[in-house]
Amino acid sequence: MSTLSAASVEPVAAIEGSEQKKPLKPCCACPDTKKVRDACIIEKGEENCTHLIEAHKDCMRALGFKI
């Protein structure tokens, strides 16, 4: 089971810019780190991908998500 789930991610900030933009959804944030994290978990198992999981968490936090 992954250490990152949609239920454990709470957005605390919206995308900066115009007022017309909607808040960034967790599923759409950090697509680059998410893709390599998911591929690693599928191929090698979660226990062998902790560095990629943490990198994705760091990216999410940088965008204002509380995880």
Side-chain angles (χ1 to χ4, degrees):
M1 177 181 250
S2 176
T3 58
L4 181 65
S5 68
S8 68
V9 179
E10 300 174 20
V12 293
I15 298 175
E16 294 181 18
S18 71
E19 295 178 359
Q20 295 176 344
K21 289 190 177 184
K22 294 181 181 180
L24 183 62
K25 295 179 182 179
C27 62
C28 302
C30 304
D32 295 333
T33 58
K34 182 178 180 178
K35 183 177 180 179
V36 294
R37 177 207 64 183
D38 291 350
C40 182
I41 291 170
I42 290 168
E43 293 173 15
K44 300 177 184 178
E46 183 177 346
E47 63 279 356
N48 297 310
C49 302
T50 54
H51 63 289
L52 294 172
I53 294 168
E54 290 305 315
H56 184 63
K57 286 181 181 180
D58 290 342
C59 180
M60 297 287 287
R61 287 184 191 110
L63 291 176
F65 290 94
K66 183 179 177 183
I67 56 171

